Amino acid sequence: MQEVGIVHFGLGAFARAHLAAYNDAAMATGETGWMIAGVSLRSDRVARQLNPQAGLYTLTERSGEGQATRVIGSLREVLVKGRDCAKIVARLASPECHVVSFTVTEKGYCRDAVGGLDHAIAVESFYPLLTQGLGWRMAAGMPGLTLMSCDNLPENGRVLARLLGSWLERDNPALAAWVRENCTFPSTMVDRIVPATSDTDRATLAARLGVVDEGAVVTERFSQWVIEDSFAGQRPNWEAHGAEIVTDVAPYEAAKLRMLNGAHSLLAYAGLAAGHIFVHEAMRDERIRPLVEVLMRQEAAPTVTGLDGGFLSDYATQLIARFDNPALDHRLAQIAMDGSQKVPQRWLATLADARGHCIAILTGIAAWLLHIARGRHLDDPLAEELRDAISAGDVSAQLERLFGPRGLLKSGWVPGPEEVAFIAEQRRIVRTWGGE
């Protein structure tokens, strides 16, 4: 039986379409010892789906040209925080474990308003379990681990290192020092569009295969993974299966966050305002599609350093084709979740670095304000605070309460009078897209 070499926190569809798929490809060529133990932090839903199937599930890649399905066999088990804490710690402390990876979403890192660790909510995340596992390794004289974030955060490895260090320094400075000396935190850029699997997806798959897969994942054909070359020990040969191991991930991170994710958030808020459900529907809207092009090519791309203009132009063209994919029902409401955690790196970083008037991003902000005010699909850890911020006053006051030096998001971007006026006007226009 293959050993578990990776413990992964946050085993949603995204990780199963990406990390687990790369590991499955590595194991298919003869690499051993790289099974994954998944950890669910919030519910046992994925465990209920996959454990009765011995961790097996199907991955279906869809495009306008057709679809292809394969079985992924790199998952040993799904453990659930609260119920399986002892097993999780044992996996982390096992000599066979070399990598701990994370797709816990932006909010899973439990940052406060200025980017530090919010210790009060961190107790409910992965920090206590990771601390116990690392503590066992230190006490036993074992090697450190590669701790690898795969979430949409700029310099995600450094963010994880800083937040974990803050957690450890409070109660266990000796372990904090050991982690600094023995563990590594490579930054990564992970890119694959993975919609939530629907009941229709499962039913269609069952009719085609003759078997029900409760853990089925549907994704696009495209997949990209850029990883900083900083590992504490062994790892799978991911680069043999398409991953890129580089010295500096930052340019790729910036391109993805500002171009892909920035355009996605624009599509989400503007598309929902216009009554659309899926990304490919919003892309067919002649009011929205040109804004997506402008955001990527004219606003975001010029702020990305370290990648040449030809690469960024080709990347934008590729993104348009991916967004247009009619075979992938990527719900706008899924992208719109957790806006307070996403907007700073997706839009505000571009605005802070841009030269000139960013009409597409400012329109996106107008749509986001409308999205907060309407309350539909508002799924955000700061939902009440967002509503309070825009509950009174004109748009100028609302923007100050959101983005000002003492605002909710405390960004480095300060809108000028012309930008405030433009956002106010665009909010009025976007409101009419829904028939108001």
Side-chain angles (χ1 to χ4, degrees):
M1 181 179 289
Q2 288 237 27
E3 298 292 346
V4 171
I6 298 176
V7 175
H8 183 83
F9 286 93
L11 195 77
F14 184 78
R16 284 179 276 147
H18 203 273
L19 172 72
Y22 280 87
N23 264 38
D24 183 74
M27 292 165 60
T29 61
E31 292 196 59
T32 59
W34 294 115
M35 292 292 284
I36 299 168
V39 179
S40 291
L41 294 169
R42 289 179 291 194
S43 81
D44 66 349
R45 181 178 60 85
V46 177
R48 286 186 284 106
Q49 290 174 336
L50 293 177
N51 285 339
Q53 300 179 180
L56 300 173
Y57 63 93
T58 56
L59 180 66
T60 300
E61 298 177 351
R62 287 181 182 167
S63 71
E65 289 73 48
Q67 60 184 346
T69 299
R70 80 183 211 248
V71 175
I72 302 297
S74 58
L75 182 65
R76 170 61 52 76
E77 63 195 351
V78 183
L79 305 173
V80 181
K81 176 182 170 290
R83 185 182 74 192
D84 300 315
C85 288
K87 291 182 181 179
I88 296 166
V89 173
R91 286 296 189 196
L92 291 166
S94 166
E96 288 76 30
C97 180
H98 301 286
V99 176
V100 181
S101 50
F102 305 82
T103 49
V104 295
T105 75
E106 293 92 337
K107 67 182 176 183
Y109 293 86
C110 306
R111 294 171 297 165
D112 59 24
V114 294
L117 184 68
D118 186 331
H119 287 260
I121 60 174
V123 295
E124 299 299 327
S125 191
F126 57 83
Y127 295 98
L129 291 168
L130 188 57
T131 298
Q132 291 181 59
L134 292 170
W136 275 104
R137 298 183 77 90
M138 180 181 74
M142 295 170 62
L145 296 170
T146 297
L147 303 170
M148 183 175 66
S149 169
C150 297
D151 282 298
N152 280 327
L153 295 168
E155 298 188 321
N156 50 19
R158 289 158 184 77
V159 170
L160 176 59
R162 176 172 53 79
L163 295 174
L164 179 60
S166 176
W167 172 266
L168 295 175
E169 287 288 356
R170 172 180 281 194
D171 299 316
N172 198 333
L175 181 57
W178 183 87
V179 167
R180 285 194 299 270
E181 289 294 321
N182 294 276
C183 297
T184 61
F185 298 82
S187 289
T188 70
M189 189 280 279
V190 182
D191 187 1
R192 196 168 212 189
I193 295 172
V194 187
T197 306
S198 67
D199 290 339
T200 300
D201 292 327
R202 280 184 279 267
T204 300
L205 185 68
R208 185 157 61 88
L209 300 182
V211 62
V212 176
D213 177 11
E214 295 295 342
V217 177
V218 177
T219 187
E220 61 178 339
R221 288 183 177 175
F222 179 89
S223 182
Q224 186 179 22
W225 194 10
V226 184
I227 313 169
E228 182 183 4
D229 191 2
S230 176
F231 300 94
Q234 301 175 49
R235 63 171 177 83
N237 186 23
W238 289 311
E239 61 267 44
H241 309 284
E244 302 170 69
I245 310 297
V246 302
T247 57
D248 186 10
V249 176
Y252 300 93
E253 287 177 339
K256 188 210 173 189
L257 285 165
R258 298 186 183 197
M259 295 175 69
L260 186 157
N261 297 129
H264 253 171
S265 288
L266 171 63
L267 281 162
Y269 299 122
L272 289 170
H276 302 302
I277 298 174
F278 301 115
V279 167
H280 60 82
E281 293 175 341
M283 283 296 291
R284 291 199 298 266
D285 191 319
E286 63 183 14
R287 298 165 298 190
I288 299 173
R289 186 186 186 94
L291 290 170
V292 172
E293 292 261 14
V294 167
L295 185 151
M296 289 195 295
R297 298 186 187 279
Q298 299 177 28
E299 298 176 356
T303 71
V304 176
T305 58
L307 297 172
D308 67 55
F311 175 94
L312 294 171
S313 178
D314 290 345
Y315 183 50
T317 299
Q318 190 178 57
L319 289 174
I320 293 294
R322 292 167 66 192
F323 294 164
D324 276 332
N325 185 355
L328 208 62
D329 286 340
H330 198 183
R331 290 183 174 271
L332 298 169
Q334 179 184 354
I335 301 168
M337 292 171 57
D338 304 333
S340 66
Q341 312 295 297
K342 297 173 179 177
V343 162
Q345 57 259 25
R346 295 185 179 196
W347 287 345
L348 303 187
T350 298
L351 288 170
D353 292 344
R355 298 185 183 92
H357 200 48
C358 294
I359 61 170
I361 293 178
L362 296 180
T363 301
I365 290 174
W368 186 45
L369 294 177
L370 186 61
H371 179 77
I372 296 167
R374 286 174 167 171
R376 283 176 262 167
H377 307 293
L378 184 58
D379 186 344
D380 195 290
L382 300 181
E384 291 304 316
E385 293 91 335
L386 290 171
R387 291 190 187 99
D388 288 345
I390 68 162
S391 62
D394 58 13
V395 169
S396 178
Q398 293 170 8
L399 293 173
E400 179 66 22
R401 286 195 289 269
L402 284 172
F403 305 125
R406 292 186 296 276
L408 184 61
L409 301 185
K410 295 182 175 63
S411 75
W413 171 68
V414 179
E418 291 185 5
E419 291 172 313
V420 171
F422 184 83
I423 290 170
E425 176 62 11
Q426 289 305 105
R427 177 172 171 170
R428 183 191 65 78
I429 292 171
V430 170
R431 182 183 287 114
T432 68
W433 292 357
E436 293 185 18

